Amino acid sequence: MSNDEQFEAAAVENAAAGRGGLTQEELDELVASSDTGARSPAGPVGTMLVAVALIWSLFQLWIASPFPFIVGWGVFNDTEARSFHLAFALFLAFAAYPAARTKAQFILALAVPIVLTLLFIYGSKAGVPVWWIPIPGVLMLAAIYMGSPKDHIPFWEWGLGILGAVSALYLYFYYDSIAQRVGAPILQDYVVAVFGIMILLEATRRALGPALMIVATVFLVYTFLGPHMPSIIAHKGNSLSEVVNHQWITTEGVFGIALGVSTSFVFLFVLFGSLLDKAGAGNYFIQVAFSLMGHMRGGPAKAAVVSSAMTGLISGSSIANVVTTGTFTIPLMKRVGFSAEKAGAVEVASSVNGQIMPPVMGAAAFLMVEYVGIPYFDVVKHAFVPAVISYIALVYIVHLEAMKAGMEGLPRSVAPKPWVAWLISIAFTIAAICALSFATYYLMGWIRPAFGEAAIYVVFAFLTAVYIGLLWIASREEPLVMEDPNAPVTKLPVPGPTIRAGLHFILPVVVLVWALMVDRLSPGLSAFWAASFMIFILLTQRPLMAILRGGTDMAAAIRAGFTDLIEGLVAGARNMIGIGIATATAGIIVGAVSQTGVGSALADVVEVLSGGNIMAILVLTAILSLILGMGLPTTANYIVVSALLAPVIVTLGQQNGLIVPLIAVHLFVFYFGIMADVTPPVGLASFAAAAVSGGDPIKTGVVAFFYSLRTAALPFLFIFNTDLLLINVNWAQGILVFIVATVAMLLFAAATQGWFLTKNKVYETVALLLVAFTLFRPGFWMDMVSPPFLSVAPAQIEQAAMDTEIGQNLRLGVSGLNAVGDPVTFTALLPVGEGDNGADRLLASGLEYVVNGDDVVIDNVAFGSPAAEAGFDWDQKVVSVLKPTAQPTKYLMFIPALILLGLIVMLQRGRARTQKVAAERRTGDVQQNPASN
């Protein structure tokens, strides 16, 4: 079965049987079928698979480290490293993932090699012999027909795995000769590429289900059959020679940026998360969340949200996140009153949000670095506020659900502190964290210049001392043990001891964040040092804890540490099989987009359907992102939707007067791509949660979608209000944006859930949405009251430049021809340069022009100037000029919004008091007349 079919079958069978959840073995198999491969043969073959996975992890650590350059051996360039990366992924895909034999899968598996064989024969227009082309198709058809057992690897799958690995390694072994014949493939290149593409697509079907395989196949069909497509998306068509060269022999397709990011960054972060989880951090995060929040209304659900947010740091998979934390949280949510569907939906909404949570963001952050061309630190900064307020809003949604149902929390582990003591404790904790942060920052800042090259050893010694100290603190506490969530809960874990029992797990995360954010090392090198410190912890924590607790069996502790390390390295590699395959297959789609120019054709389609309305463009793009993202893992769906749809928003936005920063566009399509993990009928995370809860998977997905509406609203908001992404705001403005946006998102959640202080009236829901929108985008109303730009005639462009402060933007409407000679109309922002008059200021910006009556024609654009970066070109005509004008602060719009909010609060408080009195009266009547009941 495919992943989604397996999840659906397990969930439906589980619900029909009336069970509260699957066994742990069944859940482990569920995750394995999605993330690590469901086939684990015993004996020498199983040992060999473990060895291959281990070698893959060690290889990735080696190429990420500085050691190859130190010893002068084992240095690989980017293309060679990608070749090995894909070879490991392809071999393990056929070894670890048995092929599905459901009817739909079987038909697809047979259809694809037949279609591709015919396409490749059709595309052989350059005199290439075609007799050999059916061979890979026949091999794949035979292998599919003969089946794929789970308990062993048949010889035909060994053959496909080895052929796939050899096809990938071809670029490594023939690197020099390929470099000498770029664009002129020989017969050997044809054979390897055709075998490689077909085997890659079959590996994709096995590891990820049919969705990505179908999409990639459709794009290959489109590449060959361009002349036969509808006129709006037609192109000249490409021959087999062009496709082979573009997709396999060069780094434009399969071996492109996506696979490069998987090789350089993603593997190491997945490996880091796997090692951290193997050390016990996942259990620690769950226990901490429950100790802190379990006593609140709907406490287990709130704890599920927080624990999923923390687990999102170490898990790149929303499905694995659901099963990992959901095994514990979903039964407890059901025990305090949540239905099976709502319990599963809360877990789904919080687990999927782990993909938008910095610093890892389901590996998409590292792809954004390459695609957007900005530093990693900037990606994290822009993504931070939306992710955090989305999680805060989800906690609030859970609180509202608990309020609706009158739920209570689980019993406290200790008596609550007086509120004054509680505030003092919070203040002390914040002060301690700040002091530690400043001490670490300035200590590191002193170590670097003082010790030079030896600074890394000093830092390691310092971290080791802190690590031993934290282990000593942990040794004073009882070991954390995951209790049975279905057993009666008498009390929650005590917060203090629970937190202290695993503080050393925070150190590798500190190393990672420090290297990324402060030292500004590359993501790959940062992940290497974090993973290295994690390896050190895995090898030492058990022996050191045994010493500190007075244990005697040191040999057993040392063996257990090595076992944890090996299992973590193997699990990290197996977790990467699907991602490696997904990024390679997504490369086919990206390569087809660049080869055929379908991006501009898609922009035309969207523009025709939307009628040029910018909101309609965004809605259509969101829908297309959801459709393209269905059934794909986070990394793959981001690659696909960003390659296809991000340029659409930028192009059409410019043409319709909306200048959108590229990072905002990429976050927009990323948010809607991950929403596909929630949305029925292909919400894989929803099926996984239903398999744990015993609820209906479709209902779980529908409820999770409504819980996730806040995540769907955020992209529209930060497209129009880039303050939410902390673009061009100072730290004081950033704090204000965070506070206001959080309040606005809570009000939006209250409106969509139909409950604020009490159940909403319809007009109160509308008013809450209005207040939330005003807080999110106060400029919308202020622009109506006082327009931010004043329109002047194009011939007055010099006066407009003189009236504009230096550094501010003139907003110019431009029409003309683009670089390929097609008519184009767009809006551009031109920063005004320095000068004594308007003409000098425009010249300083790089713009030279000729005024003919009322027409302004661009005569020249200075190379590398602000005008060139804005998209101006010679012979274009300036058709409109908007100069900035004085405008009252947009934050004045908060005043009427807050007044309206106050009125809603007054109305709901009065109604809540009335309802409370009525309830108390009813209770009193029942107590006085028990017989009447």
Side-chain angles (χ1 to χ4, degrees):
M1 283 188 189
S2 67
N3 298 337
D4 51 337
E5 288 169 334
Q6 191 164 16
F7 289 146
E8 184 172 10
V12 172
E13 178 193 351
N14 190 37
R19 298 195 300 267
L22 298 179
T23 66
Q24 188 59 50
E25 290 76 18
E26 290 171 315
L27 290 172
D28 291 342
E29 185 175 350
L30 204 57
V31 176
S33 67
S34 168
D35 290 337
T36 62
R39 183 157 54 197
S40 296
V45 174
T47 304
M48 187 274 295
L49 289 184
V50 169
V52 172
L54 180 61
I55 292 170
W56 190 11
S57 288
L58 294 176
F59 170 77
Q60 296 286 162
L61 285 169
W62 173 260
I63 64 174
S65 73
F67 302 131
F69 302 96
I70 294 173
V71 301
W73 176 85
V75 178
F76 297 87
N77 64 34
D78 288 345
T79 303
E80 293 169 336
R82 294 172 192 181
S83 177
F84 273 97
H85 184 80
L86 182 57
F88 277 113
L90 283 171
F91 178 78
L92 288 173
F94 284 96
Y97 288 89
R101 290 301 301 271
T102 62
K103 185 176 180 180
Q105 284 271 56
F106 190 69
I107 292 171
L108 282 170
L110 293 176
V112 168
I114 294 172
V115 169
L116 289 178
T117 299
L118 294 174
L119 275 176
F120 292 147
I121 292 173
Y122 169 83
S124 301
K125 302 173 183 176
V128 179
V130 298
W131 61 266
W132 59 271
I133 291 180
I135 294 175
V138 171
L139 288 176
M140 291 176 63
L141 290 171
I144 294 163
Y145 181 76
M146 286 186 284
S148 183
K150 282 191 174 184
D151 56 346
H152 71 279
I153 306 172
F155 72 89
W156 52 86
E157 296 199 319
W158 284 111
L160 287 175
I162 292 170
L163 278 174
V166 169
S167 300
L169 289 173
Y170 180 73
L171 267 69
Y172 171 74
F173 288 110
Y174 291 90
Y175 183 82
D176 292 333
S177 60
I178 288 172
Q180 295 171 10
R181 59 171 187 271
V182 174
I186 61 176
L187 181 59
Q188 182 175 285
D189 297 338
Y190 284 100
V191 173
V192 170
V194 169
F195 270 85
I197 290 172
M198 294 183 75
I199 290 173
L200 172 61
L201 290 174
E202 170 59 15
T204 303
R205 184 185 69 88
R206 289 165 176 260
L208 304 164
L212 184 56
M213 178 198 71
I214 294 171
V215 174
T217 303
V218 167
F219 273 88
L220 282 174
V221 171
Y222 176 72
T223 303
F224 284 106
L225 303 182
H228 308 291
M229 294 290 118
S231 59
I232 195 169
I233 59 170
H235 65 97
K236 70 178 183 62
N238 297 98
S239 67
L240 182 62
S241 172
E242 293 168 328
V243 171
V244 161
N245 184 72
H246 196 81
Q247 292 287 8
W248 198 270
I249 302 303
T250 66
T251 56
E252 297 296 323
V254 171
F255 295 92
I257 289 175
L259 188 65
V261 172
S262 177
T263 306
S264 304
F265 308 149
V266 178
F267 190 105
L268 292 164
F269 280 87
V270 171
L271 179 62
F272 171 70
S274 176
L275 295 172
L276 195 58
D277 187 51
K278 189 60 65 176
N283 176 33
Y284 172 69
F285 290 153
I286 294 173
Q287 297 273 27
V288 168
F290 269 86
S291 69
L292 294 175
M293 308 192 74
H295 65 279
M296 301 178 180
R297 282 182 183 269
K302 293 175 182 174
V305 175
V306 175
S307 61
S308 292
M310 292 189 289
T311 306
L313 294 172
I314 64 174
S315 171
S317 165
S318 55
I319 299 159
N321 201 348
V322 164
V323 175
T324 301
T325 59
T327 306
F328 187 71
T329 60
I330 288 174
L332 285 176
M333 281 190 266
K334 291 169 67 178
R335 290 195 57 217
V336 297
F338 283 86
S339 67
E341 285 76 19
K342 286 186 177 181
V346 169
E347 184 58 50
V348 168
S350 53
S351 294
V352 170
N353 259 34
Q355 310 300 295
I356 66 173
M357 192 69 183
V360 177
M361 294 172 60
F366 312 114
L367 289 160
M368 286 182 195
V369 170
E370 299 295 326
Y371 288 157
V372 182
I374 61 176
Y376 174 82
F377 177 80
D378 289 345
V379 172
V380 171
K381 180 184 76 173
H382 297 320
F384 178 75
V385 168
V388 172
I389 64 175
S390 183
Y391 262 114
I392 293 173
L394 184 55
V395 172
Y396 183 60
I397 287 172
V398 168
H399 177 75
L400 293 176
E401 289 286 3
M403 291 284 289
K404 291 179 193 177
M407 298 178 192
E408 298 295 333
L410 296 172
R412 286 179 179 268
S413 53
V414 292
K417 295 180 181 179
W419 67 271
V420 175
W422 183 79
L423 287 177
I424 293 173
S425 174
I426 291 292
F428 177 79
T429 302
I430 294 173
I433 292 172
C434 292
L436 182 62
S437 301
F438 279 108
T440 305
Y441 183 85
Y442 288 108
L443 178 62
M444 293 288 192
W446 171 76
I447 288 174
R448 285 287 177 194
F451 291 93
E453 295 294 326
I456 186 171
Y457 304 107
V458 177
V459 170
F460 177 72
F462 170 73
L463 287 172
T464 302
V466 174
Y467 165 59
I468 293 172
L470 293 177
L471 272 185
W472 179 84
I473 293 172
S475 68
R476 307 297 98 187
E477 309 296 343
E478 290 293 324
L480 294 179
V481 179
M482 184 75 80
E483 299 178 359
D484 181 3
N486 294 298
V489 179
T490 55
K491 63 178 181 179
L492 291 164
V494 181
T498 303
I499 293 170
R500 291 192 293 271
L503 284 172
H504 57 287
F505 293 133
I506 307 299
L507 285 178
V509 179
V510 170
V511 171
L512 175 63
V513 174
W514 174 267
L516 285 169
M517 306 294 188
V518 181
D519 260 7
R520 301 293 180 94
L521 301 180
S522 69
L525 191 56
S526 301
F528 167 76
W529 289 121
S532 299
F533 194 71
M534 197 62 244
I535 290 172
F536 170 71
I537 289 178
L538 274 168
L539 291 174
T540 58
Q541 71 169 348
R542 288 181 183 270
L544 287 175
M545 196 66 80
I547 293 172
L548 293 170
R549 285 182 170 150
T552 55
D553 195 352
M554 287 298 297
I558 293 171
R559 282 196 303 272
F562 272 99
T563 300
D564 287 343
L565 173 59
I566 298 299
E567 289 179 353
L569 291 171
V570 171
R574 293 194 66 151
N575 282 332
M576 268 304 298
I577 298 171
I579 297 176
I581 295 295
T583 51
T585 308
I588 293 177
I589 299 167
V590 175
V593 170
S594 63
Q595 191 169 26
T596 62
V598 67
S600 59
L602 191 62
D604 293 338
V605 172
V606 172
E607 185 173 28
V608 168
L609 293 175
S610 65
N613 181 279
I614 191 63
M615 183 57 71
I617 289 169
L618 292 174
V619 170
L620 281 170
T621 304
I623 293 171
L624 286 171
S625 298
L626 281 172
I627 294 171
L628 289 170
M630 285 194 293
L632 306 187
T634 301
T635 311
N637 71 40
Y638 167 69
I639 296 167
V640 173
V641 297
S642 64
L644 285 173
L645 300 175
V648 172
I649 299 179
V650 173
T651 302
L652 298 183
Q654 268 195 320
Q655 293 175 8
N656 292 276
L658 178 67
I659 310 297
V660 186
L662 193 55
I663 183 63
V665 175
H666 277 258
L667 285 172
F668 181 94
V669 296
F670 173 58
Y671 268 55
F672 280 101
I674 65 167
M675 282 289 288
D677 269 353
V678 177
T679 313
V682 197
L684 300 186
S686 298
F687 286 117
V692 178
S693 69
D696 180 85
I698 300 299
K699 289 182 181 178
T700 300
V702 171
V703 176
F705 176 76
F706 280 102
Y707 288 168
S708 301
L709 281 176
R710 74 208 187 286
T711 307
L714 277 169
F716 288 96
L717 295 166
F718 60 59
I719 284 286
F720 291 103
N721 181 9
T722 56
D723 288 356
L724 288 171
L725 302 180
L726 302 181
I727 294 176
N728 297 326
V729 298
N730 57 40
W731 65 270
Q733 290 173 317
I735 293 173
L736 177 63
V737 165
F738 175 73
I739 294 171
V740 172
T742 301
V743 172
M745 185 52 73
L746 297 182
L747 295 175
F748 177 82
T752 55
Q753 293 303 304
W755 191 285
F756 186 30
L757 302 179
T758 186
K759 186 176 181 180
N760 296 342
K761 302 288 187 182
V762 174
Y763 60 85
E764 291 172 338
T765 295
V766 173
L768 285 171
L769 288 172
L770 183 62
V771 173
F773 176 77
T774 304
L775 295 179
F776 270 125
R777 199 182 167 206
F780 178 82
W781 306 112
M782 184 56 72
D783 290 351
M784 290 184 175
V785 175
S786 175
F789 294 98
L790 180 64
S791 178
V792 299
Q796 298 178 14
I797 187 171
E798 291 184 9
Q799 185 60 45
M802 194 63 198
D803 294 341
T804 302
E805 292 184 17
I806 294 172
Q808 286 195 339
N809 293 322
L810 277 176
R811 196 177 184 95
L812 304 180
V814 182
S815 68
L817 302 178
N818 61 14
V820 295
D822 294 329
V824 64
T825 301
F826 64 95
T827 301
L829 298 180
L830 180 67
V832 173
E834 296 184 4
D836 296 329
N837 54 55
D840 290 344
R841 290 185 174 189
L842 292 170
L843 185 62
S845 299
L847 195 66
E848 298 180 34
Y849 54 90
V850 175
V851 179
N852 292 324
D854 292 334
D855 294 335
V856 177
V857 180
I858 297 171
D859 189 46
N860 188 37
V861 178
F863 178 75
S865 66
E869 293 176 1
F872 292 97
D873 205 350
W874 63 281
D875 268 359
Q876 291 175 341
K877 183 184 292 185
V878 177
V879 296
S880 65
V881 177
L882 294 173
K883 66 177 183 180
T885 184
Q887 184 186 39
T889 176
K890 61 185 178 182
Y891 299 121
L892 288 175
M893 289 296 143
F894 288 170
I895 296 174
L898 294 176
I899 291 172
L900 180 58
L901 178 60
L903 291 174
I904 299 169
V905 171
M906 287 174 58
L907 288 171
Q908 292 214 351
R909 271 190 168 179
R911 198 158 68 249
R913 279 195 297 268
T914 304
Q915 292 168 350
K916 183 179 179 181
V917 170
E920 289 174 349
R921 185 176 294 119
R922 285 195 299 271
T923 303
D925 291 342
V926 169
Q927 290 174 347
Q928 290 175 9
N929 303 290
S932 65
N933 194 28

